[in-house]
Structure formats: C-alpha cells, structure tokens
Amino acid sequence: MSPNLLRLLFLLMIFISLSITSSLSTPSPADSPPYLWPLPAEFSFGNETLSVDPALTLIIAGNGGGSPIVRAAFDRYMGITFKHASGRASLLARIRFLRMVEYDITSLKIVVHSDSEELQLGVDESYTLMVSKKNEQSIVGAATIEANTVYGALRGLETFSQLCAFDYLTKSVQIYKAPWYIQDKPRFGYRGLLIDTSRHFLPMDVIKQIIESMSFAKLNVLHWHIVDEQSFPFETPTYPNLWKGAYSRWERYTVEDASEIVRFAKMRGINVMAEVDVPGHAESWGTGYPDLWPSLSCREPLDVTKNFTFDVISGILADMRKIFPFELFHLGGDEVNTDCWKNTTHVKEWLQGRNFTTKDAYKYFVLRAQQIAISKNWTPVNWEETFSSFGKDLDPRTVIQNWLVSDICQKAVAKGFRCIFSNQGYWYLDHLDVPWDEVYNTEPLNGIEDPSLQKLVIGGEVCMWGETADTSVVLQTIWPRAAAAAERMWSTREAVSKGNITLTALPRLHYFRCLLNNRGVPAAPVDNFYARRPPSGPGSCYAQ
C-alpha cells in the first residue's frame, strides 16, 4: 500500500468512525493534556484515550529504518516514556500474556526512506505521525512514523513521546485525544542554542544534558563558543600550548571529548558549530604563545602583523576540521577594539607601511581568517560588526549572525548574505529580565517581506553567554525560555502569531516545562519575573 493511500485511508477512517473535535488547530487550554511543544505544522485529533503497551514493539521499514540512530533513539524514548516500568518490560510482557491484558497500541512502526545519515544544514526533518486504535473498524492501526531521513524520524519520536502520558490511576501509559494525524516540518533549517565554555567551564556531562534537552524542543544546532579572552580550554595538537590558557588543568576538553560531543549530538539530530573568535576576544591565546600578543600591554586584538598569528589560526582550524563535520564555522569578529594597535610600535609601523587605518587592519584580519576557513571547506559565520564595518568586502558565502542591531538581518539579506537572527534584546538568555512572552513574540523575519529574501534568513539562535552562568544554573537559565524561541523557529508563523498567547501557548509551555522537569532537566518556573529563580511559594509545576 502506497504512503499516500495509507494517509487517505487513515483520514477517511477518522472522519467516518469518530467525532473529531478539532482539525489542524491548537488544543484549547480547557482540553486535557498532553500538549505538544513545539506545535506541529498540521495535525488533527479525536476524542479517544488509548493505552500503550510497555513492551512496545519497534517495527522498522524503508532504506533507513534500520539505522543505529533510529534504534538508539527508540530505546532512549522507551526509557523516557515507560520510566515507571523501567527495566521491567519483559516482566510486564509476561504479565500481559498471562492476564490477557489488551493494549490499544502494541507497536510503533518507523519508516525511513533514505539510508543517508549525513547531518548538514537544511537536512529534511519532516515526518508524518499516525496513531489510532486497532479494532474491527480501523483500517490502519497502532502508531506509525514516516520520514524521509533518520532525523525526521527523531523529531517524530519526540512528538510521539509527548503524546504519551503516565496515568497514575491505571498505572499505564495513555494517549489522549486519539486518533492523531500529524504532518510536521520545521519552519527554519537552523534552530540554534549557543553555549559559552570560556567564561565558565561546563563539564562534559552538562554539555550532554544541554544537548539532550535541546532535542526535546527540536533545536538542531549547538553553537559551541569554546574559547574567549578569559580561557582557552580546548586541546589543539598542532599548537599544544594553547590550552595553557585554560582556567586550570582540570577545566579542559580533549580532542576525544570534542569528538564525543559531536557524536552524541548527531545521535539526536543536532549539529555542532564551533566558534573561534578572532581577532578580539583572544587574550587567552597568548598564555601559551605570547608572540600572539602585540605586546604585554596590548593583549588583544591578536597581532595582525605576524604570519605566525595566521599559522596558529590555520592550525587550530585544521585540527578542528577533523572533529567538526558541520559546514558552518564561526569566526567571531565582534567587539574588536583596535586602539592599542595604534600604540604598539611595530604594529603602528606595519599600518603606516601599508597605508592602513586600524579599521583596514581589522578588515584584513577578518578576510584572511575567512579564507583560511574556506580553504578547509568551511562556510564562515561572523558576528554582525563585520558586515556593518565592511560588508561589501566579505566573502559572499558568509553567514551574518545578528545580535546587536535589530534590523541587521534585513540589511544583510538585501545585500545577498544569509543571516542568523539572535537579537540580544530578546534572545540572549543571560538577560534574565526578558520574560517568556517577549522571547516568544520575537519574529526573525520582521521587516523582510520579499519571499526570496526571507529564505536567506536560515534561522535563529538563543544565546546562553556564560559570564554569570555555570553548571549550577545553566540549565534553569536556558529553560524554559529557549523553548519559546524554539517554537517560533519550528512552528508556522501563522500558528505562533495569532490569538492570545496566554491562551494558545502559555498552558502548553507550562506543560512542556514540567515535561522537562520530569525528564531530569531543571527548567525554572515559566512565570518568574527574573529567569532561573526558584518558585516563590508552594504550588503545582503546571501553574508556575
């Protein structure tokens, strides 16, 4: 039976046999959970409650159905969904057999059409999810996820897991409002979260927990701001003294650590974009190689006059290219204060010899670093100051990341550049006084009306800068506000921009925050005036 015919029969079955309470719409706050986050592109549901077998069987089909990525994800979600029966699946299966317990959903079929596991920008993350009771009236039974890629299947598994809720009275997992028919795909191909491991070191397990939590909200790029002026915790075999700039010998990442982060993220459909910020934000480099400093009193920007500076950049990028397969690499370029270049004798002479201003030298540095990245088959990403200062000279492949000026993406795409939206007024998570609704209502395409230019905004990113966040608070600072941006980036613009979000979004966000808590993610209360603060008093998770 063809997939299209399968869908038609399923929809016909829903229409004939059930009273549908909604079609392609958002559940009202009065409806019982589960709520879905982020909201799927299209969905319909009914009014039945179905029980799910704790010994749920995985059935695979298609060229990619047998992928280890799919199988590992199924096992992870079994542990999440049936955690009240963890380790007892075989026992429960025997009990079911002895007692002849009937479950409505006994299998999950995952169909993946492509056998490719390549994870790059714009990979197809679409999926179809169908859940219905198997009975004499139904043509299609049980649960089915169909996707073109393994990464679409991962997104479908997350949605399926959110449909499943443990009922404490029956002590069983149930799916409410069945049958479900969901056709879903992301609005933007790039949906990022930045973490900063220079201002405060984050242990490997914490980074992994952040990545795991990202998958629950369908974010798909971890922007790893690894090094900065304060510390250089990353192992660089070509220049091994660089990580002498780490805070301590215990706060470092080996090559093997970074490779493990990339592997762990890929298993969850998440790319890792590394950042090495040049020429500013790089004082820590000189701890291991003092020649990178223009002088002892001018420790950043890096010394623009020496080939050694660019040899080190090339060595770092060559080492990193063996670890990070993502096509984008971030070269920073922001907040470059060149004043001390003018006061350093040999740099001043170099500038005069080329008839350069310090702004010319800044441009020279950024463009030379771009060419190094491009030579290693990377597409360069730079912060917006590079575009504002000398945009016409940037390599046309450059992706501009907005953070400072609200209309920079409008200006960048008008010049043909791609752009990532990260406006600091709303999507910088270290700004603790920005409430969830302002995060949610921030629209990356504001002011961009031409559809051809809208396509150049590849997505957005929330940024968890680390000056005032370490392991003790980082997750509760990220969540749940990052989820507000995640839905803006995944769901259709029409769905997230209409109606009263206090009714359409807030109840679902409360539910999602509690879902995160139940999965071990210490997401803070939704309604705090300042992010990451604990509750002000007793109360339900679903009302804080």
Side-chain angles (χ1 to χ4, degrees):
M1 185 179 296
S2 72
N4 288 335
L5 180 58
L6 189 66
R7 295 189 188 100
L8 287 173
L9 290 173
F10 185 86
L11 291 173
L12 181 62
M13 179 268 300
I14 293 176
F15 180 78
I16 293 174
S17 64
L18 293 170
S19 171
I20 301 301
T21 60
S22 174
S23 178
L24 307 184
S25 62
T26 307
S28 74
D31 285 336
S32 59
Y35 301 138
L36 299 176
W37 195 282
L39 199 67
E42 297 182 0
F43 63 96
S44 63
F45 56 90
N47 57 13
E48 290 187 337
T49 297
L50 307 183
S51 60
V52 184
D53 190 344
L56 191 70
T57 301
L58 172 64
I59 301 173
I60 56 175
N63 294 329
S67 164
I69 293 176
V70 173
R71 291 183 179 274
F74 176 79
D75 290 341
R76 286 198 308 275
Y77 280 107
M78 283 289 287
I80 290 171
T81 304
F82 299 103
K83 64 180 180 180
H84 291 281
S86 179
R88 296 184 296 155
S90 59
L91 174 61
L92 289 168
R94 289 195 296 272
I95 293 173
R96 183 193 69 194
F97 176 78
L98 293 172
R99 297 184 180 179
M100 302 302 290
V101 176
E102 292 288 340
Y103 290 98
D104 300 309
I105 305 295
T106 59
S107 65
L108 174 62
K109 183 176 183 179
I110 300 180
V111 183
V112 179
H113 296 296
S114 172
D115 62 359
S116 173
E117 294 180 354
E118 183 179 7
L119 181 61
Q120 287 292 356
L121 182 64
V123 69
D124 189 344
E125 297 174 272
S126 65
Y127 67 91
T128 299
L129 171 61
M130 296 176 285
V131 181
S132 68
K133 186 176 183 178
K134 181 172 288 188
N135 57 34
E136 63 277 2
Q137 292 180 315
S138 69
I139 302 171
V140 181
T144 301
I145 295 170
E146 183 180 354
N148 290 323
T149 70
V150 293
Y151 305 109
L154 295 184
R155 307 303 172 226
L157 272 165
E158 174 58 39
T159 301
F160 178 76
S161 75
Q162 291 188 22
L163 290 177
C164 295
F166 184 75
D167 184 279
Y168 282 84
L169 295 178
T170 63
K171 296 186 179 180
S172 66
V173 171
Q174 298 183 345
I175 294 178
Y176 303 100
K177 303 296 180 184
W180 286 88
Y181 180 75
I182 297 171
Q183 280 191 300
D184 201 10
K185 62 180 180 180
R187 180 183 175 204
F188 291 107
Y190 183 111
R191 305 179 306 283
L193 167 68
L194 176 147
I195 61 170
D196 172 9
T197 58
S198 174
R199 275 53 178 265
H200 282 99
F201 179 84
L202 296 176
M204 285 282 290
D205 285 349
V206 174
I207 297 177
K208 286 184 174 183
Q209 192 175 12
I210 291 170
I211 292 169
E212 188 85 67
S213 66
M214 288 172 65
S215 71
F216 301 153
K218 298 185 172 73
L219 295 174
N220 71 345
V221 179
L222 178 74
H223 176 175
W224 191 359
H225 187 88
I226 304 178
V227 302
D228 209 288
E229 65 186 59
Q230 292 85 358
S231 73
F232 196 113
F234 191 80
E235 180 183 20
T236 307
T238 303
Y239 290 94
N241 289 340
L242 281 169
W243 70 352
K244 287 184 177 180
Y247 286 123
S248 72
R249 61 180 179 174
W250 301 284
E251 295 169 290
R252 292 175 172 178
Y253 304 103
T254 66
V255 167
E256 292 79 12
D257 289 338
S259 297
E260 171 59 14
I261 290 297
V262 171
R263 184 206 66 80
F264 186 89
K266 181 177 180 179
M267 295 296 287
R268 288 148 183 82
I270 294 172
N271 278 300
V272 181
M273 177 177 71
E275 178 178 359
V276 173
D277 198 346
V278 293
H281 289 280
E283 180 180 341
S284 63
W285 299 32
T287 304
Y289 295 96
D291 283 349
L292 293 170
W293 290 332
S295 71
L296 289 178
S297 61
C298 179
R299 298 189 174 193
E300 60 180 19
L302 295 169
D303 195 326
V304 67
T305 72
K306 296 175 182 174
N307 284 330
F308 177 65
T309 301
F310 298 96
D311 290 342
V312 172
I313 292 172
S314 181
I316 294 171
L317 267 59
D319 289 342
M320 285 187 163
R321 199 61 177 111
K322 299 172 186 176
I323 301 169
F324 299 99
F326 191 39
E327 65 195 71
L328 302 182
F329 188 90
H330 209 300
L331 290 166
D334 62 312
E335 299 181 320
V336 180
N337 184 345
T338 58
D339 288 348
C340 76
W341 276 352
K342 293 183 294 185
N343 302 320
T344 303
T345 301
H346 75 275
V347 178
K348 185 177 180 179
E349 292 174 351
W350 184 88
L351 293 171
Q352 291 172 343
R354 287 162 176 75
N355 197 27
F356 271 10
T357 65
T358 53
K359 182 177 178 180
D360 293 329
Y362 167 41
K363 178 177 73 173
Y364 167 83
F365 199 119
V366 168
L367 298 185
R368 188 166 173 182
Q370 281 198 334
Q371 291 309 308
I372 293 171
I374 290 168
S375 73
K376 301 184 189 312
N377 199 30
W378 259 321
T379 297
V381 184
N382 283 100
W383 294 107
E384 67 178 62
E385 288 96 323
T386 59
F387 172 78
S388 300
S389 299
F390 43 85
K392 64 182 177 61
D393 297 309
L394 290 171
D395 189 279
R397 289 165 283 192
T398 305
V399 178
I400 306 300
Q401 184 161 7
N402 150 255
W403 74 277
L404 194 58
V405 180
S406 60
D407 64 350
I408 208 71
C409 277
Q410 298 173 37
K411 295 176 179 178
V413 300
K415 297 296 184 181
F417 291 102
R418 291 181 292 170
C419 193
I420 298 169
F421 178 89
S422 301
N423 188 293
Q424 66 161 344
Y426 305 101
W427 282 12
Y428 268 31
L429 299 173
D430 56 310
H431 293 193
L432 303 180
D433 58 348
V434 179
W436 79 271
D437 56 317
E438 291 186 14
V439 178
Y440 190 84
N441 283 326
T442 299
E443 171 51 52
L445 297 184
N446 271 348
I448 306 173
E449 305 301 330
D450 185 333
S452 65
L453 297 182
Q454 289 179 346
K455 292 179 181 177
L456 294 177
V457 180
I458 62 174
E461 181 176 287
V462 285
C463 299
M464 183 62 260
W465 293 105
E467 284 89 345
T468 62
D470 66 2
T471 296
S472 66
V473 294
V474 66
L475 279 153
Q476 49 266 59
T477 313
I478 292 171
W479 305 108
R481 291 182 303 157
E487 178 156 290
R488 173 66 56 172
M489 291 186 279
W490 177 278
S491 306
T492 65
R493 185 173 184 176
E494 295 74 21
V496 296
S497 300
K498 68 180 181 181
N500 183 341
I501 64 170
T502 302
L503 299 177
T504 61
L506 182 56
R508 291 186 298 106
L509 185 55
H510 277 298
Y511 190 90
F512 184 72
R513 180 254 171 162
C514 299
L515 178 143
L516 290 175
N517 287 176
N518 288 331
R519 293 182 180 184
V521 181
V526 174
D527 296 325
N528 279 353
F529 182 77
Y530 287 106
R532 81 184 181 205
R533 289 192 174 178
S536 58
S540 166
C541 174
Y542 298 94
Q544 293 178 336

